[in-house]
Amino acid sequence: MANFVRILLRFDVKFSLKVVINKQKNKVIFVEANSDFVDVLISFLTLPLGAAVRVLKKHYGDKEAPVFGSLTSLYNGLANLDNSHFWTEGCKEVLLNPMGSFAEECRKLKLDISDTQPTEYFTCEHPNCGRAWFTSVYYDTAICYCGRPMTRKAVGITKEFAPAVFTINTASFIISDDLQIFPNSTDLIQTLINLGIANMDVGELRTVTFGFNEIMDLLMVSLLSRTPLSDLILYKRHVTYVDGLARLKFEPGISFKGKVKEATSNSNEMIILKFMVQKSTNKLLFARAGEDFLDFLCSLLAIPFGAVRYLLVGKTCLKAIDNLYVSIVDHVDDNHLATPAMKNRLMKAKLPHGYISENQILPLTGESFPYTYDTSPDLQKFSSVKFVKGQGKYIRGPTMYNITDDLTVTPFCMASMFLALKEQNIPLSDVQELELEIRLEEVM
Ligand SMILES: [Zn+2]
């Protein structure tokens, strides 16, 4: 009930923004906003990729939600896989509703677009098990020390909330059209120069109100445009439609080679991917992979935008998201952030506990458990004891999966493969299976 009220209240939230517009160029020069609004912008960085797919699908519906890269088809393919492909029912749930490691902070935002549910805790299914103090935040994915699944909802656990969200709540900020954030108290002239403003005469002041719908539009436009605020405030232009679908335009010619940060940490890890190739034309027919590659694809959904930016060192194709990240690194000093550790936490975002395996190819780290919460009068320890098959394991196997170019995953079916070859008039003698070792570089 409390959550239902929270969802209804989202539509009452309004942010009042002062917008300075260049009338000649019909362009937003900057927006002045308080910390509540800037916290919502920063929360975009903490949003796991899978959560972005989910909230945009929910808000715009399947037809109008933007399709970004292959993530949408990956998400839909995994959602369509039968529950039997996953280790537990809980695994699939965890995967399709990835939690951010800033979930508690996001629940405190004036407007939480990630739709984060209150954290639930599960304990041993047996009511008289002596180890009921061990709890897991994931339903049915951990087993108790007595061997039973942890599926019983633990009641009465409260967690201390973070005192503030991302920025200090008395601060105000200047935001450029491409989402660079500057604290309002810093050198005014320098800020204007940073924003490329030479001539003050062209500016016109307007007051604009943003509510839930505008914030969702802003999230979508930040993924699609280099000038999200102008697009939204002046042109009401939300999306570029191609084939009836909103698609991300990728910058051509970006090479990730040699630009991966800290790429050495786990670089010996690799996965085998099998490709079926037509020998005569050298054409890729499809790829086949087992559960280890599927687990890797699954883990992509849990990575927040901030961590993607960190891994790819600014080569994310998402200029506005890049700028938000750079603002945290370069423009917003510790005095304007809620806690001294905040800058580092936002810059090197960790994945929530349990989402990535210990031998993850990507140089990412998961949060550690157990957390200790002071639930007075007693100090209790909560931990995700052990996962059914270890952390970051979603797919049961041993099934092979068919993976298309856009990362749509379906269970591999020999009969349909024969049918597909027959339809294309490709004799089996013309088909060759190649193996590719996937390491960090290919992953990027
Ligand atoms: Zn037990």
Side-chain angles (χ1 to χ4, degrees):
M1 188 63 191
N3 204 51
F4 179 66
V5 172
R6 247 169 68 86
I7 287 167
L8 279 182
L9 285 176
R10 295 203 300 201
F11 292 96
D12 289 338
V13 175
K14 299 278 179 249
F15 298 97
S16 179
L17 309 175
K18 289 192 190 99
V19 185
V20 175
I21 292 159
N22 181 332
K23 274 199 84 179
Q24 289 168 356
K25 291 184 181 166
N26 207 23
K27 190 180 176 315
V28 168
I29 304 175
F30 65 85
V31 164
E32 192 173 348
N34 64 13
S35 69
D36 286 339
F37 181 76
V38 167
D39 281 345
V40 174
L41 276 185
I42 294 174
S43 77
F44 291 1
L45 287 176
T46 71
L47 199 60
L49 300 178
V53 174
R54 183 176 59 83
V55 297
L56 290 170
K57 263 164 75 97
K58 192 175 165 191
H59 185 70
Y60 293 100
D62 275 340
K63 277 199 178 133
E64 288 193 15
V67 173
F68 52 106
S70 304
L71 272 175
T72 306
S73 41
L74 173 63
Y75 186 92
N76 291 340
L78 292 171
N80 290 336
L81 278 186
D82 190 81
N83 285 356
S84 63
H85 290 275
F86 297 87
W87 280 112
T88 64
E89 198 189 311
C91 276
K92 188 177 178 183
E93 197 62 18
V94 157
L95 185 61
L96 297 177
N97 300 287
M99 238 199 306
S101 54
F102 287 94
E104 292 304 330
E105 280 87 355
C106 286
R107 279 175 45 71
K108 280 204 73 194
L109 289 168
K110 194 167 173 194
L111 185 64
D112 173 24
I113 52 149
S114 73
D115 199 13
T116 311
Q117 305 298 311
T119 310
E120 291 187 313
Y121 296 87
F122 300 95
T123 186
C124 181
E125 64 168 13
H126 197 276
N128 297 327
C129 174
R131 295 177 168 111
W133 62 87
F134 287 113
T135 59
S136 165
V137 290
Y138 307 117
Y139 169 79
D140 194 24
T141 58
I143 42 172
C144 178
Y145 284 116
C146 74
R148 296 183 181 93
M150 298 178 59
T151 54
R152 197 162 53 94
K153 204 167 148 182
V155 287
I157 295 177
T158 49
K159 189 173 168 179
E160 286 292 313
F161 279 142
V165 190
F166 302 115
T167 58
I168 222 116
N169 56 15
T170 48
S172 89
F173 297 87
I174 297 289
I175 304 150
S176 68
D177 194 12
D178 59 357
L179 300 191
Q180 294 187 61
I181 303 169
F182 301 91
N184 214 348
S185 61
T186 46
D187 188 346
L188 181 69
I189 303 298
Q190 190 56 46
T191 304
L192 293 173
I193 292 169
N194 286 340
L195 291 166
I197 300 160
N199 178 7
M200 298 300 288
D201 301 341
V202 294
E204 183 198 86
L205 181 70
R206 273 191 220 173
T207 304
V208 171
T209 305
F210 267 37
F212 176 68
N213 289 331
E214 288 77 17
I215 296 286
M216 290 306 286
D217 287 344
L218 183 58
L219 170 67
M220 176 146 89
V221 185
S222 325
L223 302 173
L224 298 164
S225 166
R226 282 170 174 265
T227 53
L229 291 173
S230 287
D231 286 6
L232 210 55
I233 294 168
L234 297 173
Y235 301 108
K236 312 278 178 207
R237 182 175 64 202
H238 300 172
V239 205
T240 313
Y241 282 90
V242 182
D243 307 329
L245 286 171
R247 287 182 190 278
L248 260 195
K249 283 171 285 174
F250 284 92
E251 310 276 319
I254 289 173
S255 163
F256 298 132
K257 269 195 175 171
K259 287 179 181 162
V260 180
K261 207 177 224 177
E262 293 175 13
T264 46
S265 53
N266 284 323
S267 58
N268 287 331
E269 293 297 335
M270 60 138 188
I271 302 170
I272 304 283
L273 193 59
K274 294 178 178 208
F275 289 99
M276 294 292 244
V277 178
Q278 185 177 10
K279 284 192 269 186
S280 56
T281 59
N282 217 14
K283 196 177 95 182
L284 171 77
L285 299 171
F286 55 85
R288 240 166 27 111
E291 63 274 14
D292 52 351
F293 188 68
L294 263 278
D295 279 339
F296 162 72
L297 289 180
C298 290
S299 71
L300 294 181
L301 296 179
I303 302 178
F305 282 109
V308 174
R309 167 58 179 72
Y310 169 73
L311 286 171
L312 297 178
V313 205
K315 302 294 170 190
T316 61
C317 321
L318 306 171
K319 194 62 196 160
I321 298 288
D322 261 13
N323 284 339
L324 284 178
Y325 185 91
V326 170
S327 302
I328 297 298
V329 179
D330 291 338
H331 307 325
V332 182
D333 56 282
D334 284 343
N335 290 338
H336 288 84
L337 293 170
T339 65
M342 189 56 79
K343 188 183 278 251
N344 212 34
R345 279 184 69 202
L346 285 167
M347 277 167 63
K348 295 181 183 172
K350 287 182 176 177
L351 268 64
H353 169 69
Y355 273 91
I356 49 168
S357 66
E358 284 94 353
N359 54 3
Q360 170 71 6
I361 287 187
L362 294 169
L364 288 169
T365 38
E367 285 186 328
S368 52
F369 246 70
Y371 297 147
T372 308
Y373 302 127
D374 188 4
T375 53
S376 56
D378 307 311
L379 191 71
Q380 269 185 297
K381 273 182 185 165
F382 303 117
S383 77
S384 266
V385 191
K386 41 187 175 177
F387 282 70
V388 177
K389 290 291 160 189
Q391 297 189 28
K393 300 278 186 215
Y394 304 95
I395 306 293
R396 185 182 282 271
T399 312
M400 288 302 276
Y401 293 87
N402 196 31
I403 300 159
T404 60
D405 231 9
D406 67 352
L407 297 186
T408 301
V409 173
T410 45
F412 177 74
C413 168
M414 193 65 122
S416 354
M417 184 201 83
F418 272 105
L419 197 68
L421 292 179
K422 203 181 146 198
E423 275 173 1
Q424 297 176 66
N425 276 323
I426 302 170
L428 206 54
S429 59
D430 193 22
V431 178
Q432 192 183 16
E433 189 164 61
L434 301 174
E435 279 193 359
L436 182 70
E437 293 175 351
I438 304 280
R439 288 197 168 81
L440 183 63
E441 196 169 276
E442 288 84 9
V443 162
M444 292 298 180

